[in-house]
Amino acid sequence: MRAPRSTPPLRKARPPGTGTPTRTSDEATIAGAITRAQRSGCLVINLFTPDVALPDDIEALGARIVEAVLSHISALDETASITVSESSTPSECSLSISALTAYAPVLEARPIDEIQALAASLGGSVDTDAQVGTWTLTARLPTAADTPS
């Protein structure tokens, strides 16, 4: 009978003087936010496939909105089935996040001030809708050059 082999945990060495690990390139993207949520155990169906390349500031803002909305949903229902979809044109990105949950009416009644402020920071808007068992938030973000600074 063989003795179990002890395997030391693998760690990546960090160069001296680098206090925190560096971020990956997809960390400030919508797709990166979705992937992180999926890896953390959140049931997210990713239908996010941009039709046009999004500007970096829209990608970063979209990632923050996705994370805020997922936090908003998981505060009430950690088992909600969530779908993230998007449509984009050269002038606008429309990001929809839907949750299949018994808490849809409660989600609709909860304030979303932080999410609205994020969208408004670049001249965008946010709408919500609750139907039987489903709550949807849609953020519309301008992608054209006339985006406010």
Side-chain angles (χ1 to χ4, degrees), residues 71-79 101 103-108 110:
S71 176
H72 181 77
I73 294 166
S74 66
L76 291 176
D77 188 353
E78 292 181 350
T79 62
T101 175
Y103 294 95
V106 179
L107 285 166
E108 181 68 12
R110 289 185 72 207

Side-chain angles (χ1 to χ4, degrees), residues 53-146:
L54 299 174
D56 289 347
D57 58 342
I58 297 299
E59 278 281 2
L61 181 65
R64 290 179 64 196
I65 289 172
V66 167
E67 290 166 349
V69 172
L70 294 179
S71 176
H72 181 77
I73 294 166
S74 66
L76 291 176
D77 188 353
E78 292 181 350
T79 62
S81 177
I82 302 166
T83 304
V84 179
S85 59
E86 175 271 346
S87 66
S88 55
T89 66
S91 62
E92 182 180 86
C93 170
S94 179
L95 183 62
S96 291
I97 304 166
S98 297
L100 183 59
T101 175
Y103 294 95
V106 179
L107 285 166
E108 181 68 12
R110 289 185 72 207
I112 56 167
D113 300 336
E114 175 192 358
I115 300 164
Q116 290 172 321
L118 286 169
S121 71
L122 288 181
S125 64
V126 172
D127 299 308
T128 62
D129 182 41
Q131 300 294 325
V132 177
T134 305
W135 178 78
T136 302
L137 179 135
T138 303
R140 289 176 188 76
L141 307 172
T143 58
D146 62 343

